[in-house]
Amino acid sequence: MQIMDQAAEQIRLNIQFIQERIQAAAKRSGRAGKDITLLAVTKNVSVPEIRTALEAGVSVLGENKVQEAKEKFSQIGPAVAWHMLGHLQTNKTRPAAAIFDCVQSIDSQRLADALDREARALDRQMAVLVEVNLGEEEAKFGVPLSEVDSLAHYVAAKPNLRLRGLMGMVPFTPEAEITRPLFRSLAARFQTLKELLPRPEFMTILSMGMTHDFEIAIEEGATLVRIGTGIFRARDSRRQE
Ligand SMILES: *Cc1c(COP(=O)(O)O)cnc(C)c1O
């Protein structure tokens, strides 16, 4: 399956535009653009579109469902980094451990136990982030800020998991400035947590910011931003798979 030249060109332009904005925001936070990882969120995005993004310089992909990731992984392969962003059920940890380079959505001890077990069975070290629900919304997964330290210590002690940082989820609001203090509080927690953990050098990923608020997240210290619609298209016009 080929995508139209025009659609591919749009993806390339979108990526270029996002990268320029990442550079500028990084500069405002006293960092370089290369210090920020652009993760392309590819849920509901077709393989040809993903290939276009990879050709345009993206090297990290984020998926929300194990089954969908598995199908795409079988076509695209392990040369790019695959991150799990969605809620992971313990009964899906086996395929998840085989596909993903990093699971950003660790939100319970039980999930950490299950993923550690599957990673051990595959004789691998699995990079993970603890997911934090910054808005403390009922409908979202992730632990509240008050529980981050205890879950992070639990995860860091798992022999086959490697705690690499935190992933922040904030409430969706068109007024992105509302989220700035939430990003700031997560960045502060990330710094203090690092000093408490036995292997602070592993703690390099602060995943926060999406299409509508990634510049604010970078200004507040994000090292990885997760961009879906800003690269691929408006959600509404997404083709049904
Ligand atoms: C969908 C999704 C994103 C990307 O959102 P956009 O607004 O499309 O950029 C980022 N993070 C998670 C966890 C998501 O589910």
Side-chain angles (χ1 to χ4, degrees), residues 41 43 64 85 167 169 210-212 226-229 235:
V41 180
K43 60 180 182 232
N64 279 41
L85 307 178
M167 189 250 272
M169 292 294 288
M210 315 192 341
T211 296
H212 67 287
R226 310 182 304 265
I227 311 291
T229 48
R235 257 173 237 277

Side-chain angles (χ1 to χ4, degrees), residues 147-167:
E147 290 170 24
V148 170
D149 283 10
S150 79
L151 183 56
H153 279 90
Y154 186 85
V155 170
K158 288 277 154 191
N160 288 74
L161 299 183
R162 176 163 292 179
L163 181 65
R164 298 294 315 275
L166 303 175
M167 189 250 272

Side-chain angles (χ1 to χ4, degrees), residues 12-227:
R12 285 190 284 271
L13 288 171
N14 287 346
I15 289 171
Q16 199 183 347
F17 182 49
I18 298 269
Q19 277 166 342
E20 285 165 11
R21 290 164 64 194
I22 288 174
Q23 295 271 351
K27 223 174 210 172
R28 289 195 295 276
S29 75
R31 292 178 293 164
K34 64 170 172 46
D35 298 332
I36 318 293
T37 301
L38 168 59
L39 177 152
V41 180
T42 50
K43 60 180 182 232
N44 305 323
V45 174
S46 71
V47 167
E49 288 171 302
I50 297 172
R51 288 195 202 283
T52 301
L54 296 173
E55 284 158 17
V58 165
S59 57
V60 186
L61 304 178
E63 285 284 340
N64 279 41
K65 292 186 180 140
V66 174
Q67 187 55 36
E68 188 178 337
K70 202 172 162 182
E71 285 159 21
K72 291 172 180 172
F73 182 86
S74 71
Q75 297 178 64
I76 293 170
V80 296
W82 294 83
H83 285 220
M84 174 62 173
L85 307 178
H87 179 64
L88 181 58
Q89 292 167 311
T90 50
N91 64 0
K92 301 263 175 65
T93 48
R94 180 161 302 174
I99 297 169
F100 293 107
D101 296 283
C102 178
V103 172
Q104 296 202 6
S105 48
I106 299 294
D107 61 1
S108 70
Q109 294 188 355
R110 195 165 151 262
L111 176 57
D113 291 344
L115 195 60
D116 178 60
R117 205 159 42 235
E118 298 301 341
R120 183 151 48 249
L122 296 173
D123 194 24
R124 63 170 296 199
Q125 287 283 325
M126 180 113 206
V128 296
L129 308 183
V130 165
E131 178 179 352
V132 187
N133 177 356
L134 289 161
E136 307 205 357
E137 293 160 285
E138 286 293 326
K140 287 216 172 87
F141 294 102
V143 297
L145 207 51
S146 58
E147 290 170 24
V148 170
D149 283 10
S150 79
L151 183 56
H153 279 90
Y154 186 85
V155 170
K158 288 277 154 191
N160 288 74
L161 299 183
R162 176 163 292 179
L163 181 65
R164 298 294 315 275
L166 303 175
M167 189 250 272
M169 292 294 288
V170 299
F172 180 85
T173 158
E175 286 191 60
E177 287 292 334
I178 290 173
T179 55
R180 186 184 293 278
L182 299 176
F183 289 143
R184 186 168 295 176
S185 62
L186 189 65
R189 179 56 53 108
F190 179 66
Q191 292 305 331
T192 54
L193 182 61
K194 235 195 248 189
E195 284 152 29
L196 297 171
L197 289 168
R199 302 296 300 268
E201 70 275 20
F202 292 156
M203 291 283 289
T204 59
I205 305 178
L206 181 55
S207 167
M208 55 184 197
M210 315 192 341
T211 296
H212 67 287
D213 58 13
F214 73 91
E215 288 156 305
I216 294 170
I218 291 170
E219 287 167 15
E220 297 302 328
T223 69
L224 179 150
V225 292
R226 310 182 304 265
I227 311 291

